[in-house]
Amino acid sequence: MSKSAISFNRRDFIRTSSLASGGLLIGFNLFTACKPKVKPPIDISQLNFNDFNAYIKIADNGAVTIFAPNPEIGQGVKTAMPMLIAEELDVAWKNVYVQQGILDTENYTRQLAGGSQSIRLGWDPLRQTGATARQMLVNAAAARWGVDPSTCTTSEGVITNSQGETLGYGDVVKDAALLEVPENVTLKDYKDFKIIGTDAPNVDLDAIITGKPLFGLDYKVDGMVYAAVLRPPAFGQQLESFDDTAARAMPGVIDVIRIGEKAKQLTSGESNNWTVALANSDKVVVIAKTTWEALKAKEAIKAKWIENTPLESTEYQDKQLLGLLDGKKFETLRKDGDINKAFAQADQILERTYESPFLPHNCMEPMNYFANVTDEKIHLVGPVQTPEFAATAVAGMLGRDVKDVHLEMTRMGGGFGRRLYGDFVYEAAEISNAIKKPVKLIYSREDDMTAGTYRPAIKYRIKAAIKDGAVTAYYLKEAAINANMYGLIPNFFPAGAIDNYQVDVANYKSNITTGAWRAPYTNFLAFAEQSFFDELAETMEVDPIQLRLDLLQKVKGTTDQRIEYSPERLANVINVAVEKSGWGKKEAGIYQGFASYYCHNSHVAEVADVAIENGIPVVKKVTCVVDCGIVVNPLGAINQIEGGVIDGVGHAMYGDLEFLDGKPNSQNYDSYRLIRMKEVPIVETHMIKSDVAPTGLGEPTLPPAGAAVANALKAATGNRFTAQPFSKFPELMKVPEKSIIG
């Protein structure tokens, strides 16, 4: 693996998400033509396009429409996935118009945005789609010329034979439609890429900055009404009764209804649909002519709520999680060697407990969805990360065939895992089914934060044994709300690097809904482990980076098939981060912290620079080195990398959500702290040059960011942080007098 890297240094504040993935089904039905060397008009979206196949349409002048099959949540797949097809189809990217595909389970597979997997899983299949279409066109041209197809070449939609004769794709497309689809096609070599690896601006950029309709909130149809839902004010409550007299008398109010019966079928059934995260309580819905009228009338509803399960508070939950860590009821996810024997023989033992709070997702666009349920079909439109699951659940809830569901995807104003869960989709469908009208369900910001599916509160306890100057045992225990880390995580570093290694998990079942939040579990685990390794190095009186490199050296050449990460690639990003950040060579007054981590198939190392300003430590810069394989769209990649780092820094510093008697303590941004624009550090990005297939990028740069900052704060203040957010512990932010003077 080369240590060379592509480097960037920008101060962009672009929140992108990674929770993305995708796939496809190759299949062709070629109808029409394109003509070479015709300059498209400025707005190629207005051309008369004709069907080419499930992914491609072509206009007579050579412009190409490529459908993006997966949900776009800001992670850039609507741009990057079509780039893969266009590369192998061999057309000019400037002549490509990208359009969002609909849910189509016959022609597409895994239309889902989650886990940073879109490009990784679509890498070969999407390229094969373009290459297969190209080969069929070449075969048709070769047959017309009476030559061997292998003697023909293509470039920007033009086929050329050995005699220099040319045909445009459009000249032979009808002939190609009659040919058999080749089973084996040759994909381009890395060195021959013309589109992959080049900067492509976001295909929605113009529409975003000019306010054209793109997002779920923008979607409207004639005759549509608006709905606002009154939900239980606390987790553990359910609706008993309500008085809607005042609400019905307010301007624009059409009706007030009660829903919940249909949704209960989803929660009480035996479905394996994990996207169903619904409270069992009924809800009150206001139907009105406008959003504002619906939201205001909802405030006038007088509802009576009764307790059906205990109303939990953060203090109580903390005790439950600590009790789990102190207890003996665990599930072991990985066990190497004998940790008990190693601890018994240790010269030193280091043990620390790390704590994280609940977090809301805080998508800029609140949850919303359109539904129109008729006897003929169920029309669904809006921002959801799991469209196929949503369609299946709605069909089941309403007792309909899933083929009755027509689902269209809109661009999302953020997802971060929140829109994996389709509660707002199911509410909209149940409302439309009840009122027999097209309806737009809209959450207020308060609805969004109080009825969310949160990142669960988690505590980690890490214990290490030191014997003869070496780490001989490592024991990680997780206590989490509702669920535990997924099964691959125990095979991340330091698995394989320490002979005696064990990961145990336990969870407390709460009535507060929890779920995936950007980089699930690793978003906090990376902070815990990487902070622990720095303290372990300090205890052992060794260099913290060298400790990591020495441990990685033990994994090289491993035959353990469970190991998820590459020790060589992880060591490489560490070394490049040391070089690019000027580690240990910074001027006086700059304090550095290091962290490295592997998740979502990518390897990342980060160095945070902290300075003291007015007696307070301030994060000034983060140097981030990423090995994510081949970079499809460097411009989009930078956005994801920087967005992940800033998200990680911001939530580690400020993100906090507590509960009192089942109610979250923050309901809007006046009381929930997010990172401010002036607090955003410079993010210097370095991407390792690679010729291996792409891996995840939307999530991997977030987890190590908090640890890098925490380790830098230790250098600046002498204090270690074992809990997030850091701003909650101002006493630890105090800088020694000599540091202020220095």
Side-chain angles (χ1 to χ4, degrees):
M1 176 61 62
S2 170
K3 291 186 179 180
S4 58
I6 309 168
S7 303
F8 303 88
N9 187 349
R10 306 189 314 163
R11 189 172 181 135
D12 291 345
F13 183 52
I14 304 175
R15 291 193 71 181
T16 56
S17 162
S18 83
L19 288 161
S21 51
L24 57 92
L25 175 67
I26 300 175
F28 297 94
N29 188 3
L30 312 181
F31 294 116
T32 188
C34 65
K35 296 180 181 179
K37 301 179 181 178
V38 178
K39 185 178 180 179
I42 294 176
D43 188 0
I44 62 175
S45 68
Q46 299 303 309
L47 294 174
N48 182 26
F49 285 93
N50 302 286
D51 287 342
F52 188 88
N53 64 22
Y55 291 88
I56 304 165
K57 293 197 298 186
I58 294 180
D60 290 340
N61 76 337
V64 178
T65 286
I66 297 180
F67 287 91
N70 280 33
E72 172 61 60
I73 53 177
Q75 82 281 40
V77 296
K78 190 176 177 181
T79 303
M81 295 179 83
M83 290 174 71
L84 303 182
I85 297 174
E87 179 68 74
E88 298 291 349
L89 182 60
D90 216 351
V91 294
W93 182 249
K94 65 182 180 181
N95 288 352
V96 172
Y97 171 65
V98 176
Q99 188 172 333
Q100 179 66 60
I102 64 170
L103 177 64
D104 182 351
T105 57
E106 293 185 6
N107 289 298
Y108 306 130
T109 62
R110 203 173 186 271
Q111 289 181 273
L112 183 150
S116 298
Q117 298 297 294
S118 288
I119 299 302
R120 176 174 175 260
L121 296 180
W123 174 248
D124 284 333
L126 285 170
R127 290 168 60 214
Q128 288 167 356
T129 292
T132 302
R134 172 190 167 277
Q135 187 61 55
M136 293 175 72
L137 295 164
V138 169
N139 291 349
R144 183 176 297 185
W145 285 320
V147 301
D148 190 325
S150 66
T151 64
C152 301
T153 60
T154 61
S155 179
E156 297 191 353
V158 179
I159 307 164
T160 304
N161 65 21
S162 60
Q163 301 300 312
E165 298 174 299
T166 62
L167 287 169
Y169 284 176
D171 297 323
V172 296
V173 69
K174 291 182 180 179
D175 294 342
L178 302 176
L179 302 178
E180 291 186 4
V181 177
E183 293 184 1
N184 298 304
V185 294
T186 301
L187 300 179
K188 286 185 180 181
D189 188 86
Y190 172 73
K191 67 180 184 337
D192 297 324
F193 289 158
K194 299 175 183 177
I195 296 174
I196 294 172
T198 63
D199 287 340
N202 186 320
V203 295
D204 286 336
L205 185 60
D206 177 70
I208 291 171
I209 62 178
T210 58
K212 292 184 176 69
L214 273 176
F215 300 91
L217 284 173
D218 299 324
Y219 187 81
K220 297 179 177 66
V221 298
D222 291 340
M224 184 178 79
V225 296
Y226 294 83
V229 177
L230 182 64
R231 301 173 182 85
F235 290 91
Q237 291 183 329
Q238 66 180 21
L239 179 67
E240 183 177 63
S241 62
F242 66 95
D243 180 353
D244 60 7
T245 305
R248 286 183 177 276
M250 295 179 70
V253 173
I254 298 170
D255 200 359
V256 179
I257 65 172
R258 181 172 182 155
I259 65 167
E261 194 60 38
K262 293 288 186 182
K264 289 175 185 176
Q265 297 176 23
L266 291 177
T267 58
S268 62
E270 297 180 357
S271 170
N272 293 322
N273 194 332
W274 55 270
T275 70
V276 175
L278 289 165
N280 286 322
S281 174
D282 284 357
K283 302 159 189 175
V284 184
V285 183
V286 175
I287 312 297
K289 295 178 181 179
T290 68
T291 302
W292 180 250
E293 289 168 332
L295 291 174
K296 293 304 292 182
K298 184 185 73 169
E299 296 176 1
I301 299 289
K302 297 178 181 178
K304 182 179 180 181
W305 308 95
I306 58 173
E307 182 177 335
N308 64 335
T309 54
L311 306 181
E312 298 177 8
S313 297
T314 295
E315 182 179 359
Y316 171 80
Q317 294 160 345
D318 283 345
K319 290 179 180 178
Q320 299 305 307
L321 295 181
L322 287 172
L324 289 174
L325 289 179
D326 292 335
K328 297 183 179 180
K329 294 183 179 180
F330 291 95
E331 178 186 359
T332 298
L333 298 185
R334 176 165 175 146
K335 182 177 182 180
D336 300 341
D338 187 338
I339 59 168
N340 293 326
K341 182 178 179 181
F343 284 123
Q345 297 175 348
D347 297 328
Q348 289 178 282
I349 294 175
L350 179 67
E351 182 176 274
R352 291 291 181 267
T353 300
Y354 300 88
E355 306 176 63
S356 67
F358 286 95
L359 288 180
H361 292 80
N362 282 299
C363 306
M364 186 60 66
E365 177 192 22
M367 301 304 108
N368 67 91
Y369 215 78
F370 169 85
N372 186 18
V373 180
T374 67
D375 292 339
E376 290 73 33
K377 71 174 182 178
I378 301 171
H379 188 195
L380 303 175
V381 185
V384 64
Q385 292 178 239
T386 49
E388 185 175 352
F389 284 102
T392 302
V394 168
M397 180 180 71
L398 300 181
R400 301 281 290 271
D401 192 310
V402 72
K403 293 181 179 179
D404 292 345
V405 180
H406 173 78
L407 190 150
E408 300 173 37
M409 290 171 274
T410 63
R411 189 180 181 92
M412 297 177 231
F416 313 111
R418 173 61 182 94
R419 287 185 161 101
L420 289 169
Y421 307 95
D423 48 310
F424 49 94
V425 182
Y426 314 139
E427 287 178 349
E430 186 173 5
I431 294 167
S432 178
N433 183 68
I435 66 176
K436 305 304 179 185
K437 292 180 180 179
V439 64
K440 170 68 74 64
L441 167 67
I442 296 181
Y443 282 41
S444 66
R445 177 59 58 192
E446 288 80 5
D447 292 335
D448 215 41
M449 291 187 68
T450 58
T453 301
Y454 308 99
R455 183 189 83 166
I458 297 179
K459 298 187 191 300
Y460 289 108
R461 182 166 292 165
I462 308 176
K463 183 178 179 182
I466 304 167
K467 177 70 174 178
D468 298 330
V471 182
T472 57
Y474 188 92
Y475 184 27
L476 172 67
K477 293 194 290 187
E478 175 188 82
I481 298 289
N482 290 331
N484 294 109
M485 68 174 74
Y486 53 89
L488 297 181
I489 293 177
N491 300 313
F492 296 173
F493 180 80
I498 301 169
D499 292 337
N500 304 291
Y501 172 83
Q502 188 165 324
V503 177
D504 286 351
V505 298
N507 67 72
Y508 165 73
K509 297 299 183 183
S510 170
N511 55 26
I512 296 173
T513 52
T514 60
W517 189 97
R518 193 176 190 176
Y521 299 99
T522 60
N523 55 52
F524 180 68
L525 177 57
F527 158 76
E529 290 195 309
Q530 289 297 301
S531 297
F532 185 80
F533 272 108
D534 257 38
E535 189 165 359
L536 188 59
E538 184 178 359
T539 302
M540 298 170 66
E541 298 182 345
V542 298
D543 180 80
I545 293 178
Q546 193 58 50
L547 172 63
R548 292 168 171 88
L549 292 173
D550 289 344
L551 288 170
L552 286 170
Q553 191 66 33
K554 294 184 63 176
V555 192
K556 292 180 179 180
T558 182
T559 58
D560 186 345
Q561 297 299 311
R562 297 172 297 171
I563 299 297
E564 288 289 321
Y565 63 95
S566 162
E568 293 84 3
R569 295 173 75 174
L570 191 52
N572 188 26
V573 295
I574 291 173
N575 287 324
V576 174
V578 168
E579 173 195 348
K580 298 297 184 181
S581 68
W583 177 261
K585 301 176 183 178
K586 289 290 184 178
E587 63 272 20
I590 298 295
Y591 304 88
Q592 293 187 304
F594 174 86
S596 58
Y597 205 70
Y598 164 91
C599 67
H600 299 89
N601 312 103
S602 292
H603 303 77
V604 178
E606 296 179 19
V607 174
D609 291 357
V610 166
I612 308 302
E613 296 181 354
N614 300 318
I616 299 173
V618 177
V619 183
K620 304 297 290 184
K621 179 181 176 181
V622 176
T623 302
C624 182
V625 180
V626 180
D627 184 348
C628 59
I630 294 170
V631 178
V632 176
N633 180 9
L635 184 61
I638 296 169
N639 290 340
Q640 292 186 72
I641 291 168
E642 294 184 354
V645 170
I646 293 166
D647 215 4
V649 171
H651 281 93
M653 288 289 294
Y654 308 111
D656 190 21
L657 189 73
E658 295 186 349
F659 286 84
L660 180 62
D661 295 331
K663 297 181 180 180
N665 65 340
S666 298
Q667 299 187 4
N668 209 320
Y669 295 139
D670 60 336
S671 56
Y672 184 80
R673 182 75 158 87
L674 288 166
I675 193 170
R676 312 291 194 227
M677 292 291 286
K678 65 180 181 180
E679 296 163 339
V680 172
I682 293 172
V683 180
E684 181 180 295
T685 299
H686 303 273
M687 292 180 284
I688 301 296
K689 291 182 179 179
S690 177
D691 58 1
V692 300
T695 52
L697 196 54
E699 293 164 283
T701 64
L702 185 150
V709 170
N711 289 333
L713 290 174
K714 168 59 170 65
T717 67
N719 298 320
R720 289 206 176 274
F721 289 82
T722 58
Q724 293 183 1
F726 307 150
S727 61
K728 196 173 182 177
F729 306 96
E731 69 279 4
L732 298 180
M733 287 286 191
K734 292 180 180 178
V735 180
E737 191 66 28
K738 63 178 181 179
S739 297
I740 299 175
I741 296 173

